[in-house]
Amino acid sequence: MTTEPATLYCENHPNVETTLRCNRCEKPICAKCAVLTETGYRCTDCVRSQQKTFDTATTIDYILSISIAVILAYIGSLLSSRIGFFTIFVAPIAGIVIAEAIRRAIRRRRSKRLFKATAAATALGGILPVLSILALTGLTIGITGIFFFIWPVVYTVIVTSTVYYRLAGISL
Ligand SMILES: [Zn+2]
Ligand SMILES: [Zn+2]
């Protein structure tokens, strides 16, 4: 171990004594300047520069991903009310198809925020047929109606999580 100077001072606040160092660039930082990340304390500069490299998505990526997710999830949801029980098998495949279509559209760019937005768009697309029928019937669907909605809802849950984990999983 190297000998540490007796007292460290925060690089941003030269009057503040500290024992913390950024675990990336090693500069001394006080408690106010330290940001707790998944890998330990980091200075705000390092956190900022890292967010930039992890968030390379453009506005077009958002538009593309959200449109693809809403449209494909919507089509899948309409199908699921017809195929019923088979939704359990078809929904994960639909999720993979949607995630792959989006990956192709955004190429190698990635962003956690984009993946979350895409998952939300998938959920919206999936639940849209249910909402539109609810709106048309004015909530007077009764028990048979609820039964009809089970599969689109199951589909939406499965497809949304598949899309999110496929997109976010490969980005780590
Ligand atoms: Zn740093
Ligand atoms: Zn400080």
Side-chain angles (χ1 to χ4, degrees):
M1 267 198 84
T2 49
T3 46
E4 295 267 320
T7 321
L8 290 172
Y9 290 95
C10 172
E11 209 138 285
N12 305 322
H13 305 95
N15 301 321
V16 183
E17 276 184 40
T18 183
T19 52
L20 280 175
R21 276 175 184 278
C22 170
N23 74 356
R24 186 155 173 267
C25 68
E26 300 250 287
K27 80 178 176 198
I29 40 173
C30 71
K32 248 191 227 165
C33 299
V35 181
L36 183 60
T37 68
E38 279 161 24
T39 49
Y41 286 103
R42 293 220 164 147
C43 71
T44 43
D45 291 338
C46 285
V47 170
R48 215 173 299 139
S49 70
Q50 199 150 31
Q51 269 168 355
K52 251 179 228 156
T53 59
F54 278 128
D55 202 330
T56 52
T58 62
T59 312
I60 293 164
D61 292 333
Y62 278 87
I63 296 167
L64 276 174
S65 305
I66 289 171
S67 322
I68 292 170
V70 170
I71 294 165
L72 292 184
Y74 178 78
I75 295 168
S77 185
L78 289 180
L79 275 174
S80 72
S81 59
R82 284 166 198 272
I83 59 175
F85 174 76
F86 294 100
T87 297
I88 289 173
F89 308 107
V90 174
I93 299 165
I96 292 168
V97 169
I98 293 170
E100 288 306 307
I102 288 162
R103 263 175 71 187
R104 227 151 269 185
I106 64 172
R107 307 261 166 71
R108 310 185 112 239
R109 289 184 295 274
R110 49 166 85 151
S111 154
K112 239 186 192 156
R113 219 190 322 151
L114 174 67
F115 300 152
K116 277 183 189 154
T118 306
T122 307
L124 177 72
I127 216 73
L128 220 54
V130 177
L131 292 180
S132 53
I133 291 170
L134 279 178
L136 284 175
T137 55
L139 304 174
T140 54
I141 42 157
I143 296 297
T144 44
I146 287 164
F147 195 73
F148 173 79
F149 289 137
I150 284 174
W151 297 114
V153 170
V154 168
Y155 160 84
T156 301
V157 172
I158 297 173
V159 90
T160 302
S161 50
T162 309
V163 166
Y164 182 73
Y165 287 111
R166 255 194 108 77
L167 287 175
I170 49 120
S171 78
L172 296 174

